[in-house]
């Protein structure tokens, strides 16, 4: 095998594998409600999969392979299976979470990571002849694999997640993996390798493109509500004739913001749909896109700021969310300025799209700083607020 091609393949396998880990981390973080242990468990399952993949590679590799073609063909087949399985992890987590419990789904990561982990050691067997430069060539492949892994984490976490929804990113990763598998089958040589590569490309791409719509439909609704979704769907079908779907959705590298309607009970105990949109950040309740003061409503808290200070001129908010509190505070006749520190700029887009809370964005007294609240406080020790 051409060693330059092997270097490129090594980098691309690392890029795809770590990119999958980034999107899986987003899914498990969201569906767990940002539990601190969600990433640790994902990382444990991922590393266990890679370790099992390395052991599997030892069993799969061909020792009688002087030109590397057999091992390269094995790499191609494993890469195809691993990428198809990686593409299915996300909808599998969503479906199992609805019917059983999402916590069992870390097990889905292990076989997908194992197959992704097989590719690199087998690629080394296919590309490195047993001569006096074997050690150097192994180090070159290893360096490119690490570079690809780092690039996958950075580009997917900071670029792709700011420009594509999660379903499209998973689709892109799967198609890139299928393309790599097809090319490796072709490089394995012969008419059989060409036919196998074309078959992998056509069948794999058709499956990914054809099934994406059905597999990823209502993904965030399933991930957020889990086992509660069938009950919510039943109420929505009874009252509206349709299943529950979010009214609005914003995805970015900073997180996932969802807007929907909650099911509650009226005074007679009958289920009704809350007329006010509810906002969730990372799957966690963030408030309502509404400023109406109602008996028993929690919005009494921002109205009650005058109990804490007779004339609050300068107000600091840590966390903007849907902007309801900011609008209410802006209505206080004593307030001269409001500084809101918000880590996720996506909330500004959400606020601008909802008339009930959008006016605060046009208020000259209102200023938003996109930053971490603790970090901003540390960096601005001389600021004073009422």
């Amino acid at each position: 095998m051409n060693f330059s091609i092997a270097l490129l393949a090594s980098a691309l396998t690392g890029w795809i594998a770590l990119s999958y880990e980034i999107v899986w981390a987003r899914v498990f973080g969201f569906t767990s409600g940002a539990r601190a242990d969600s990433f640790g468990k994902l990382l444990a399952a991922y590393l266990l999969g890679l370790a099992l993949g390395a052991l599997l590679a030892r069993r799969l590799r061909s020792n009688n392979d002087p030109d590397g073609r057999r091992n390269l063909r094995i790499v191609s087949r494993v890469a195809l299976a691993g990428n198809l399985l990686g593409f299915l992890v996300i909808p599998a987590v969503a479906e199992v979470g609805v019917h059983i419990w999402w916590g069992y789904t870390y097990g889905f990561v292990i076989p997908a990571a194992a197959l992704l982990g097989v590719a690199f050691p087998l690629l080394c067997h296919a590309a490195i002849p047993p001569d006096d430069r074997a050690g150097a060539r192994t180090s070159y492949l290893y360096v490119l694999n690490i570079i690809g892994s780092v690039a996958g984490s950075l580009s997917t976490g900071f670029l792709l997640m700011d420009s594509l929804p999660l379903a499209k990113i998973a689709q892109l990763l799967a198609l890139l993996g299928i393309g790599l598998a097809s090319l490796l089958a072709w490089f394995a040589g012969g008419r059989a390798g060409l036919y196998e590569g074309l078959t992998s490309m056509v069948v794999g791409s058709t499956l990914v493109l054809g099934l994406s719509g059905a597999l990823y439909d209502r993904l965030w609704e399933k991930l957020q509500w889990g086992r509660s979704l069938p009950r919510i769907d039943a109420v929505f079908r009874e009252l509206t004739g349709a299943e529950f779907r979010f009214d609005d959705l914003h995805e970015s590298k900073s997180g996932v913001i969802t807007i929907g309607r909650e099911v509650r009970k009226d005074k007679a105990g009958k289920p009704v749909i809350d007329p006010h949109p509810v906002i969730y950040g990372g799957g966690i309740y963030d408030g309502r896109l509404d400023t109406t003061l109602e008996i028993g409503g929690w919005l009494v808290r921002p109205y009650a700021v005058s109990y804490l200070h007779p004339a609050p001129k300068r107000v600091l908010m840590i966390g903007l969310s849907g902007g309801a509190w900011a609008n209410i505070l802006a209505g206080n006749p004593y307030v001269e300025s409001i500084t809101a520190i918000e880590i996720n700029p996506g909330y500004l887009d959400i606020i601008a799209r909802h008339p009930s809370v959008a006016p605060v964005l046009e208020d000259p007294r209102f200023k938003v700083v996109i930053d971490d609240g603790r970090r901003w406080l540390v960096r601005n020790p001389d600021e004073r607020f009422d």
Side-chain angles (χ1 to χ4, degrees), residues 231-283:
R231 174 181 56 82
I232 296 172
D233 277 342
V235 175
F236 268 77
R237 286 194 183 96
E238 180 183 348
L239 299 178
T240 68
E243 61 191 5
F244 171 79
R245 289 182 181 272
F246 287 126
D247 299 334
D248 202 354
L249 176 69
H250 189 282
E251 297 181 54
S252 70
K253 67 175 182 289
S254 301
V256 180
I257 305 169
T258 54
I259 308 292
R261 308 279 175 163
E262 282 195 338
V263 175
R264 59 182 176 85
K265 292 184 178 181
D266 60 13
K267 294 180 179 180
K270 295 182 179 180
V272 296
I273 299 173
D274 195 324
H276 305 303
V278 182
I279 185 168
Y280 310 87

Side-chain angles (χ1 to χ4, degrees), residues 80-256:
L80 176 65
N83 279 277
L84 289 176
L85 198 57
F87 176 73
L88 294 174
V89 166
I90 297 174
V93 172
E95 288 297 332
V96 171
V98 169
H99 298 291
I100 307 175
W101 181 53
W102 67 269
Y104 295 122
T105 59
Y106 287 106
F108 293 144
V109 172
I110 297 174
L115 290 177
L116 293 172
V118 168
F120 177 72
L122 283 182
L123 185 64
C124 291
H125 284 293
I128 301 173
D131 56 22
D132 57 352
R133 295 195 62 197
R137 289 192 175 99
T138 301
S139 66
Y140 298 151
L141 285 177
Y142 211 108
V143 167
L144 264 294
N145 187 258
I146 292 173
I147 291 174
S149 300
V150 174
S153 300
L154 295 176
S155 60
T156 301
F158 288 97
L159 299 177
L160 291 183
M161 283 194 170
D162 246 2
S163 55
L164 293 174
L166 191 73
K168 292 296 183 183
I169 297 175
Q171 193 178 74
L172 173 64
L173 295 179
L175 292 176
L176 281 174
I178 292 167
L180 175 62
S182 302
L183 286 174
L184 292 177
W186 178 43
F187 288 133
R191 183 174 296 179
L194 176 61
Y195 288 157
E196 183 174 339
L198 290 174
T199 302
S200 298
M201 177 71 76
V202 173
V203 174
S205 300
T206 301
L207 287 174
V208 170
L209 295 174
L211 296 177
S212 290
L215 290 174
Y216 283 79
D217 182 47
R218 292 207 304 163
L219 174 69
W220 296 112
E221 287 87 347
K222 295 173 183 177
L223 291 173
Q224 178 168 312
W225 290 114
R227 289 177 290 177
S228 298
L229 187 59
R231 174 181 56 82
I232 296 172
D233 277 342
V235 175
F236 268 77
R237 286 194 183 96
E238 180 183 348
L239 299 178
T240 68
E243 61 191 5
F244 171 79
R245 289 182 181 272
F246 287 126
D247 299 334
D248 202 354
L249 176 69
H250 189 282
E251 297 181 54
S252 70
K253 67 175 182 289
S254 301
V256 180

Side-chain angles (χ1 to χ4, degrees), residues 71-81 181-182 184-185 196 200:
N71 282 310
L72 193 58
R73 191 168 289 114
I74 297 171
V75 175
S76 169
R77 293 167 183 172
V78 169
L80 176 65
S182 302
L184 292 177
E196 183 174 339
S200 298

